[in-house]
Amino acid sequence: MMARLEESVVDGSRAPGKASPKDLPSVDRLLKDPVVGLAVAEHGHSCVTAQVRALVDELRGRAIAGDLAAAEITTEALRAAVQTRICGRLAPRMRSVLNLTGTVIHTNLGRALLADSALQHLLTMMAGPNNLEYDLATGGRGDRDSIVEELLTTLTGAEAATVVNNNAAAVLLTIAALARDREVIVSRGELVEIGGAFRMPDVMASAGAHMVEVGTTNRTHLHDYERAITDRTALLMKVHTSNYAVQGFTSSVGEAQLSALAHARGLPVATDLGSGALVDLAAWGLPREPMPQEMLAAGCDVVTFSGDKLLGGPQAGLIVGSKAAIGKIRKFPMKRALRMSKLPLAALEATLMLYLRPERVAQDLPTLRLLTRPQADIRRVAEALQPAVAAVVAPRFSVTVEDMQGQIGSGSLPVERLPSAGLALAPVNRKGVGRSLDELAAALRRLPLPVIGRISDDRLLLDLRCLERPGDLLGQLSILGDSLA
Ligand SMILES: *Cc1c(COP(=O)(O)O)cnc(C)c1O
């Protein structure tokens, strides 16, 4: 049911000008209106009453201020206002958007997109009971880790694996479980901040470990670690500097060397990979990202990485490594507080299964599919869309097809660029370029399916790498045209 605002201004035309507070209907009277009654039948009394009350309060405030037009309190206008408020209240705050930023794994836009099989599995598993912690063979209690442990050990060569809520949790838990009240040695070149509150020194402190920094920002040597080892040392830690690169006169100690040193002293090595790719991206001509399987082969005892970065799955923290280390991590009490929910767990299982078919994974997994999309294909889409976009933004903006430089995102390979293509929208009037672009960007964000581009060099760029269904953008154009008119 919709109480549509019709042309009629029956009551309004009778009383032009401003409305006074005494012209307002009471909450009760409005609730007795037959059209508002339909809303009550649909949504229930509490929801509608709350919105009617809020509306009447707002109108009264404006009437007192002399700021309420009589036309706003006609029966039709009030019905429409009630409906608009209910719709607004019941509209989800989490919305689908079109990511045309050129950054494939965009942290602010929800990171990796789930594969169809992961969505299906998630839906099926959530629709009813499942064997989350139930052993179907014995009829006894099961362990939720066992749902993905074998997949993870198969794919990475690890002896054991466990999963938690996200990679930040994986790092925190690993340090707490292996080094609480003791010392962790880490290179000064690897004290990363991942954004927000995740900074390596703070994580160490939260985990109750004492951080011992060695080396310098640009150079750390094996003997730096060696000299720092004492009987208080519990762990040697490597952190992949995922969102920045130290270039020039640099030196760091590889996992193999560090593991050899650590093991000779009876200590474990943990590596936080951040993104961590399960397949070699170089196979598709992409820049290489370190793989957990390489870190394990180099001797690391624990490797942590994210579920929703290059892996292309749900938010998750994956911890793979030796039986001894994973055993300690799994038994550490904090694990219970950081454990993964059944929702992402189902999606993670289905995502990992896609890696069992490596020749197909670049097609089946959206993240890899988008990352490996050839520039020429993207350019063709841009060329096909150019006339339609140009028509709706004219005459204020011109639209050209251009090669662009995208990024993988989420800190992966921060310096590398992905050759991409898209549309560049430039204000025709060179005066007030900044404001025109801000307005255009805002109009794009206000669309029913908000379009998120990026502003660069006095142009608004729509990188089309992540636009797999051009119709999604085409469908928004007439609305964009209206809002720019
Ligand atoms: C992204 C990242 C994290 C945090 O992972 P989340 O899954 O976002 O919690 C930790 N360490 C590194 C090196 C990262 O790149």
Side-chain angles (χ1 to χ4, degrees):
M1 52 112 335
M2 286 285 281
R4 284 196 47 244
L5 180 57
E6 281 151 25
E7 293 302 313
S8 109
V9 267
V10 184
D11 304 344
S13 58
R14 191 154 41 78
K18 303 291 182 194
S20 86
K22 68 174 167 38
D23 300 330
L24 287 170
S26 68
V27 170
D28 280 342
R29 219 190 86 206
L30 208 42
L31 282 169
K32 286 195 185 101
D33 175 86
V35 174
V36 174
L38 292 175
V40 174
E42 187 178 351
H43 303 292
H45 197 265
S46 326
C47 170
V48 178
T49 306
Q51 295 314 312
V52 166
R53 182 162 292 133
L55 175 66
V56 171
D57 284 351
E58 184 215 305
L59 295 177
R60 180 173 303 113
R62 288 178 41 212
I64 291 168
D67 185 27
L68 184 66
E72 290 181 80
I73 59 167
T74 63
T75 305
E76 282 313 315
L78 289 169
R79 286 170 173 173
V82 169
Q83 193 59 41
T84 301
R85 275 189 171 266
I86 294 169
C87 289
R89 189 69 196 89
L90 297 181
R93 296 296 178 267
M94 195 176 204
R95 312 246 317 264
S96 294
V97 302
L98 272 187
N99 172 12
L100 304 188
T101 60
T103 299
V104 175
I105 310 171
H106 199 301
T107 292
N108 303 144
L109 304 181
R111 289 201 184 156
L113 310 179
L114 291 181
D116 289 342
S117 61
L119 293 170
Q120 275 310 320
H121 192 45
L122 174 73
L123 262 166
T124 314
M125 287 307 101
M126 293 318 112
N130 54 56
N131 64 336
L132 180 68
E133 290 187 353
Y134 183 80
D135 186 331
L136 288 170
T138 66
R141 192 192 153 88
D143 178 353
R144 65 177 69 201
D145 272 4
S146 64
I147 289 169
V148 290
E149 182 169 20
E150 200 214 306
L151 271 166
L152 279 169
T153 55
T154 304
L155 294 169
T156 64
E159 286 175 8
T162 183
V163 286
V164 286
N165 183 54
N166 56 16
N167 188 41
V171 176
L172 180 72
L173 178 63
T174 298
I175 298 170
L178 302 182
R180 192 175 200 94
D181 295 328
R182 298 182 62 205
E183 292 180 358
V184 181
I185 303 175
V186 62
S187 161
R188 289 199 172 87
E190 298 174 6
L191 297 177
V192 304
E193 172 180 313
I194 314 295
F198 191 90
R199 294 169 140 197
M200 212 22 97
D202 302 336
V203 175
M204 296 264 184
S206 308
H210 305 292
M211 184 172 77
V212 176
E213 303 169 36
V214 297
T216 60
T217 305
N218 57 329
R219 287 172 76 82
T220 301
H221 307 282
L222 191 63
H223 58 76
D224 292 322
Y225 289 94
E226 200 166 4
R227 281 183 205 139
I229 296 177
T230 68
D231 53 7
R232 295 179 302 277
T233 308
L235 178 68
L236 272 52
M237 177 109 196
K238 286 280 292 176
V239 187
H240 184 55
T241 56
S242 51
N243 51 7
Y244 68 99
V246 182
Q247 287 177 327
F249 185 55
T250 65
S251 168
S252 62
V253 179
E255 282 73 12
Q257 262 189 308
L258 196 63
S259 301
L261 168 67
H263 295 166
R265 303 295 193 88
L267 294 167
V269 172
T271 293
D272 174 26
L273 274 190
S275 203
L278 283 179
V279 286
D280 185 355
L281 298 183
W284 294 280
L286 289 166
R288 249 186 136 269
E289 175 82 1
M291 298 192 281
Q293 46 270 53
E294 296 170 337
M295 301 294 130
L296 294 167
C300 291
D301 299 270
V302 181
V303 180
T304 55
F305 54 108
S306 255
D308 55 357
K309 293 186 182 172
L310 279 171
L311 188 91
Q315 180 185 304
L318 286 65
I319 312 178
V320 295
S322 68
K323 270 208 165 69
I326 300 296
K328 276 188 199 159
I329 290 167
R330 194 178 277 146
K331 277 199 240 82
F332 197 73
M334 194 190 276
K335 165 75 165 47
R336 175 63 178 76
L338 303 175
R339 77 177 185 191
M340 231 174 131
S341 131
K342 62 182 179 175
L343 277 88
L345 194 57
L348 179 62
E349 179 185 27
T351 303
L352 291 172
M353 282 170 68
L354 295 176
Y355 285 93
L356 297 175
R357 309 193 303 176
E359 293 83 4
R360 300 196 162 204
V361 71
Q363 264 318 298
D364 295 347
L365 201 64
T367 300
L368 275 182
R369 190 167 67 230
L370 294 173
L371 287 174
T372 56
R373 216 172 154 199
Q375 185 180 29
D377 288 4
I378 306 169
R379 208 183 152 96
R380 266 196 295 280
V381 175
E383 278 158 4
L385 289 175
Q386 189 272 341
V389 176
V392 299
V393 300
R396 287 178 61 193
F397 299 90
S398 66
V399 180
T400 48
V401 173
E402 298 198 12
D403 288 340
M404 294 180 184
Q405 297 290 313
Q407 324 185 24
I408 294 182
S410 273
S412 303
L413 307 152
V415 218
E416 308 282 352
R417 288 288 175 267
L418 289 175
S420 190
L423 299 172
L425 283 60
V428 170
N429 185 346
R430 302 309 293 167
K431 256 178 72 188
V433 166
R435 222 187 66 198
S436 298
L437 286 172
D438 288 343
E439 278 170 20
L440 177 61
L444 287 165
R445 289 196 304 271
R446 274 195 308 269
L447 292 168
L449 179 59
V451 172
I452 318 293
R454 72 175 197 274
I455 292 175
S456 167
D457 289 337
D458 284 349
R459 292 164 333 152
L460 192 140
L461 305 182
L462 301 177
D463 185 315
L464 302 186
R465 174 176 294 279
C466 296
L467 184 71
E468 289 199 285
R469 292 178 305 264
D472 287 353
L473 181 61
L474 283 170
Q476 303 298 307
L477 289 182
S478 64
I479 308 164
L480 178 65
D482 291 348
S483 86
L484 288 177

